[in-house]
Amino acid sequence: MGVLDFIKNQLLEIIEWTDDSRDTLSYRYPDDDKEIKNGAQLIVRESQMVQFVAAGKYADAFGPGKHTLTTENIPILSTILGWKYGFNSPFKCDVYFVNTRLFTGNKWGTSNPVMMRDKDFGVVRLRAFGTYDFRITDVPKFLKEVAGTDQNFRLDEFADTMRSRIVSVFTEALATAQVPALDVATRYSELGEALLPIINPAMTGKYGLEVTSFVLENVSVPPEVEQAIDKRSSMSVIGNLNDYVKYQMGVGMGQGGDGAAAAAAPAQMAIGFGMAQELMKGMQAQQAPAQTAAAPAAAGGIDVLTPEQAAQALGVSVEDVMASINAGELKARKIGNAFRISRAALEEFLRG
């Protein structure tokens, strides 16, 4: 068996590699004695490049096709001449296959929120994620800086490094562009294309890679900011707040139970306001002759009410009157620590 192994090792090799894994970036041909013989045949397929390493240094690179290798290992003779090295040839060679196809659909994302200044929200934290495609363009640099002498270098061994580099560039570009958070969604494609010229110099110069496509799929804000945006959108959709309150009251009363009770309270208040308005109209009609007679004397006076008097006239509580004043619905003038309400302002409030 030893003689057969010896004879087999002296035969010329046919060196080739087919990849079924879909995630292998580089592959070192498993030649046990690393004594690739002079005249060995190398077969390189499309989407592959081969880097030949002789005596530990990068030598020739081979593209797709069949190639005849020239080495210092002459079958049988080099083994015999290497008797002082234990019948091992000192001329060691390696063959590295590198996958140059496009690696698509690689995911990236910000592990932590990105702080940026936004004109709508001030300082805001954003998260982003997407995908990118890349291929190997500089084989010697990739092997030297990334894969090294690994026999089977896979994508998952390098994904974290790629992701952190891309996120770093994206964060800097987004902060520099000063795009409002609400407008980022309309510029996903624009941002992706604009980032390629920024990402590629770093990738090519450091790792021998080219990012061919950079896709920004989503940029999101923290939950509390999302809730604020939703409330703002809801107010825009509602439009006329008075009509919306009436609609909600009708729905609540139709449902019965607690909803009806909650809806009935504003309705009762509205009825009270209506009754008070009619009462004031009657009082005004009765006082009209007296006011006409006293017009010359009272021409320079202003008819004002305290919140208590306004509450009594409306048939509501003082707290309801103060709530309307604080909400800006009922106009009043604060004098010292007290509020005074003109009868004209009260009538304007009742007219809605």
Side-chain angles (χ1 to χ4, degrees):
M1 191 64 180
V3 175
L4 291 176
D5 289 340
F6 174 78
I7 295 174
K8 184 178 179 180
N9 289 336
Q10 303 308 310
L11 299 177
L12 298 180
E13 300 99 329
I14 299 178
I15 303 172
E16 61 179 339
W17 174 57
T18 55
D19 177 31
D20 298 326
S21 67
R22 303 298 298 169
D23 65 346
T24 301
L25 298 176
S26 66
Y27 176 78
R28 175 166 52 83
Y29 184 75
D31 188 21
D32 294 334
D33 58 6
K34 302 184 182 301
E35 297 178 10
I36 296 176
K37 303 300 183 291
N38 186 48
Q41 297 298 298
L42 173 66
I43 299 175
V44 184
R45 290 173 170 79
E46 294 290 345
S47 77
Q48 292 180 350
M49 285 287 291
V50 167
Q51 180 65 54
F52 187 70
V53 179
K57 293 184 178 180
Y58 291 143
D60 296 329
F62 300 93
K66 185 170 76 73
H67 310 274
T68 300
L69 300 180
T70 301
T71 71
E72 298 183 66
N73 291 317
I74 302 172
I76 302 178
L77 182 59
S78 60
T79 302
I80 295 174
L81 293 177
W83 63 268
K84 58 183 176 180
Y85 303 107
F87 292 98
N88 292 317
S89 172
F91 307 112
K92 302 296 183 181
C93 303
D94 286 307
V95 173
Y96 288 90
F97 287 85
V98 177
N99 210 332
T100 59
R101 72 172 181 85
L102 195 64
F103 290 86
T104 61
N106 303 282
K107 298 184 181 298
W108 67 272
T110 56
S111 56
N112 296 308
V114 177
M115 299 288 292
M116 64 171 290
R117 191 177 299 278
D118 185 81
K119 68 177 185 180
D120 296 320
F121 304 110
V123 177
V124 66
R125 294 174 291 126
L126 298 179
R127 290 184 180 272
F129 64 85
T131 60
Y132 65 95
D133 305 336
F134 76 95
R135 60 160 50 95
I136 299 171
T137 55
D138 191 335
V139 173
K141 179 162 290 187
F142 173 78
L143 290 173
K144 181 180 179 180
E145 300 294 339
V146 182
T149 59
D150 197 327
Q151 181 171 353
N152 195 354
F153 189 77
R154 295 182 178 274
L155 180 59
D156 57 1
E157 300 178 59
F158 188 57
D160 290 342
T161 301
M162 287 280 289
R163 188 180 301 112
S164 61
R165 173 68 65 170
I166 287 176
V167 169
S168 175
V169 174
F170 169 78
T171 301
E172 182 178 353
L174 186 63
T176 304
Q178 296 182 348
V179 179
L182 295 178
D183 296 340
V184 171
T186 64
R187 301 189 181 184
Y188 282 171
S189 178
E190 179 184 339
L191 284 172
E193 294 175 359
L195 285 172
L196 283 178
I198 302 175
I199 295 174
N200 272 324
M203 291 296 179
T204 303
K206 189 172 182 61
Y207 305 120
L209 305 174
E210 177 190 9
V211 178
T212 60
S213 175
F214 184 84
V215 179
L216 181 62
E217 294 182 359
N218 180 265
V219 175
S220 60
V221 295
E224 56 271 17
V225 179
E226 288 184 355
Q227 293 175 5
I229 295 174
D230 291 341
K231 291 179 181 178
R232 182 175 177 181
S233 301
S234 299
M235 292 302 298
S236 299
V237 172
I238 289 170
N240 190 320
L241 185 59
N242 188 32
D243 293 342
Y244 178 73
V245 171
K246 292 178 181 178
Y247 168 75
Q248 291 285 48
M249 288 168 56
V251 172
M253 294 176 70
Q255 290 175 346
D258 295 338
Q268 293 171 357
M269 183 179 295
I271 293 172
F273 284 162
M275 294 177 63
Q277 186 174 7
E278 293 299 325
L279 180 62
M280 289 187 65
K281 287 182 179 179
M283 293 173 61
Q284 290 173 0
Q286 295 176 0
Q287 294 175 359
Q291 290 177 352
T292 303
I302 301 176
D303 193 3
V304 296
L305 302 173
T306 65
E308 291 77 8
Q309 292 172 335
Q312 183 177 5
L314 296 175
V316 297
S317 66
V318 178
E319 289 76 11
D320 292 335
V321 173
M322 293 304 300
S324 298
I325 292 175
N326 293 330
E329 300 171 353
L330 177 59
K331 296 181 180 179
R333 177 73 65 179
K334 187 174 184 181
I335 304 174
N337 294 326
F339 283 94
R340 293 295 180 265
I341 307 163
S342 68
R343 191 171 297 277
L346 187 60
E347 292 176 355
E348 180 182 354
F349 170 74
L350 292 174
R351 286 195 296 269

